[in-house]
Amino acid sequence: MAAWGERLAGVRGVLLDISGVLYDGGEGGGAAIAGSVEAVARLKRSRLKVRFCTNESQKSRADLVGLLRRLGFDVSEGEVTAPAPAACLILKQRGLRPHLLVHDGVRSEFDQIDTSNPNCVVIADAGEGFSYQNMNKAFQVLMELENPVLFSLGKGRYYKETSGLMLDVGPYMKALEYACGIEAEVVGKPSPEFFKSALQEMGVEAHEAIMIGDDIVGDVGGAQRYGMRALQVRTGKFRPSDEPTLPPS
C-alpha cells in the first residue's frame, strides 16, 4: 500500500481512456466493464481532476457521451478530449482541405470543414469503410499532391469489442505511409500534443497526472514519454503478452 502511495504522490489529475477501460463497444452500443461506473463516480467525488482522453473515431463526441451516459457514467461532452475536434482545429489553422476516410458516425465533426479540392487526407477508424476502393482513393489523393499530408486519428493496432478484437486505424495508416513513402501526423494518443491539450484542459502539469488505459503503447507509453505516470488495466485489449513490455516500476 505504501508503494502505491509513493507512486501516486503529487497526483492532481487522472486521465481515463474510454474504450476498453470504461466499456467494450459492440452490439447495442456495448457494455460497461464491471466496476467502471462506480470507479468513475468515486474519482469524481475525490479531490482529483478527471478527464476522459480517447482515440474514439467511430462516434462524434456528442454520440460517445450519450452512449456513456446511457451506460450509467457521469460524463459531459466538455470533459472529453477526442481526436476529431483536435484534427478540425489543425485543419483550420493550416488552411487544409481534407479528403476524409472516416466512419460515417464521426463525419458530422467535420461539417464546418471545407473538403473541396482536397490537399490532405484524414484517416480514422472507418470500420467497414476500409474497402480497397476507399483506401485506393485516399492513396490517389496523396500521390497527386506535391507535398502530401496524411493525418491519422490515432494509430492503434487493434481494440476490443464484446465480440472480440477488431483492427484499428493503425494498420491502414501504415499501408498508406508505405505506399506513398510518407509519415502520417498522428492526432490522438500517443501524440505529445494530444496529451498536452488534455492536461491544459485539466489545468495540471504532466508530472501531476496519471493516465489509465488498456493500450501499452498509446496510453501507457505515450503518457510516460510526455512525463506523466501511467497505469495499464487488465481489461479491454490487454493481453498477458503486454506485461513483459511494461517499463520497470
Side-chain angles (χ1 to χ4, degrees), residues 81-137:
T81 299
C88 288
L89 182 61
I90 293 170
L91 293 168
K92 290 178 180 178
Q93 290 173 340
R94 292 166 58 174
L96 293 171
R97 304 177 304 278
H99 169 77
L100 298 173
L101 178 48
V102 302
H103 195 279
D104 286 345
V106 79
R107 196 170 290 273
S108 62
E109 295 276 19
F110 296 89
D111 282 349
Q112 303 305 311
I113 299 296
D114 182 5
T115 57
S116 63
N117 189 25
N119 55 6
C120 70
V121 168
V122 172
I123 185 173
D125 179 12
E128 297 296 327
F130 280 132
S131 65
Y132 172 80
Q133 180 180 6
N134 290 342
M135 283 290 289
N136 196 54
K137 177 59 179 177

Side-chain angles (χ1 to χ4, degrees), residues 106-187:
V106 79
R107 196 170 290 273
S108 62
E109 295 276 19
F110 296 89
D111 282 349
Q112 303 305 311
I113 299 296
D114 182 5
T115 57
S116 63
N117 189 25
N119 55 6
C120 70
V121 168
V122 172
I123 185 173
D125 179 12
E128 297 296 327
F130 280 132
S131 65
Y132 172 80
Q133 180 180 6
N134 290 342
M135 283 290 289
N136 196 54
K137 177 59 179 177
F139 162 75
Q140 290 173 334
V141 170
L142 289 168
M143 291 298 283
E144 289 170 1
L145 296 172
E146 184 177 351
N147 297 301
V149 177
L150 171 63
F151 293 102
S152 183
L153 304 193
K155 66 173 187 178
R157 296 175 296 164
Y158 55 87
Y159 58 93
K160 184 176 180 293
E161 290 195 346
T162 54
S163 59
L165 297 177
M166 313 291 285
L167 276 177
D168 204 342
V169 65
Y172 301 95
M173 176 199 82
K174 287 294 184 182
L176 289 177
E177 285 185 330
Y178 177 67
C180 301
I182 60 175
E183 184 175 346
E185 297 183 35
V186 177
V187 182

Side-chain angles (χ1 to χ4, degrees), residues 60-75:
S60 68
R61 193 161 47 167
D63 288 344
L64 177 61
V65 167
L67 169 62
L68 291 173
R69 293 185 70 86
R70 288 193 297 275
L71 292 174
F73 293 99
D74 175 14
V75 56

